Amino acid sequence: MSVMKEKIKKKMENARIKNMVRGAIFAGIYILITIIIPFMTFSWIMRLEVEGLDLELYEEQYAQILFFVIAFGLLISGTAFFGYSAPAQSIRRGIFSLIQIILNLFYLWSYKFSGALEIEVIIVDLGIVEINLQQLILTYIGIYFLTVILKAYDLIDFIINRDKIKFERGQK
């Protein structure tokens, strides 16, 4: 009997390490997607040149955009770690997945209020360059809203079928 306990204990320890590594990998991916790429994109826009003239965003607008990108990016990356390091079909994974999707909605919504969707740059002697991405972001928000419904259903399913899931997990 103790040999069987040792095998189960070792298997559980390997699963925990695997889940932690998977959580760290997904947190790194979300840091890249939600912080590094937007930071590099807005830094590139900040220093863009057209016909030898600099296109510079206003410092206040740039700082506000970066604040929201970094703040929500860190929150999303943290919840990604906890969500992906949890066992499959667990209540903890369902809760963190739902929180992460809601934070993604706020992340997209923050682009609207930080001024990132309506970037307007005045070029002396040439005119105004305007980038407007509101409809694109609203489409993504609609898709994420449907994903919130799906994740809420998964969470309810994990809660209702908790005993069945634990039994099936023990059989593997």
Side-chain angles (χ1 to χ4, degrees):
M1 190 68 150
S2 66
V3 174
M4 193 65 150
K5 282 185 180 180
E6 289 297 320
K7 284 184 180 180
I8 292 173
K9 187 176 180 181
K10 186 162 181 109
K11 185 177 179 182
M12 292 297 288
E13 187 65 33
N14 289 338
R16 289 180 186 150
I17 293 171
K18 179 182 166 187
N19 286 343
M20 294 299 280
V21 169
R22 189 175 77 213
I25 289 170
F26 276 98
I29 290 170
Y30 275 97
I31 285 173
L32 178 72
I33 291 171
T34 61
I35 298 174
I36 295 173
I37 292 174
F39 176 76
M40 291 173 56
T41 301
F42 287 113
S43 296
W44 176 73
I45 291 173
M46 178 87 170
R47 292 167 186 84
L48 192 62
E49 285 186 20
V50 173
E51 294 187 17
L53 298 172
D54 290 334
L55 293 179
E56 291 190 11
L57 289 173
Y58 298 111
E59 277 299 318
E60 295 172 10
Q61 186 180 14
Y62 179 70
Q64 189 175 12
I65 290 169
L66 288 184
F67 170 76
F68 281 110
V69 164
I70 291 171
F72 279 112
L74 288 173
L75 287 172
I76 290 168
S77 300
T79 56
F81 172 78
F82 290 115
Y84 285 101
S85 66
Q89 294 182 330
S90 67
I91 295 173
R92 181 176 51 164
R93 183 176 219 160
I95 289 171
F96 278 109
S97 295
L98 184 61
I99 290 170
Q100 183 183 2
I101 294 296
I102 292 170
L103 285 173
N104 282 334
L105 273 168
F106 285 134
Y107 178 76
L108 289 174
W109 192 253
S110 74
Y111 273 96
K112 179 176 174 56
F113 290 110
S114 68
L117 296 180
E118 297 175 4
I119 298 174
E120 186 176 293
V121 181
I122 300 171
I123 305 173
V124 179
D125 297 332
L126 289 177
I128 298 173
V129 174
E130 187 176 319
I131 301 172
N132 191 344
L133 301 172
Q134 285 186 350
Q135 293 301 317
L136 177 70
I137 295 298
L138 288 176
T139 303
Y140 279 121
I141 287 174
I143 292 168
Y144 271 109
F145 178 73
L146 295 174
T147 309
V148 166
I149 294 171
L150 180 66
K151 293 295 181 180
Y153 173 78
D154 283 346
L155 179 60
I156 292 169
D157 181 45
F158 297 159
I159 291 170
I160 291 173
N161 295 319
R162 182 178 181 185
D163 294 332
K164 181 180 174 185
I165 292 170
K166 282 186 177 181
F167 178 74
E168 289 174 358
R169 194 178 296 149
Q171 295 293 325
K172 293 183 181 177

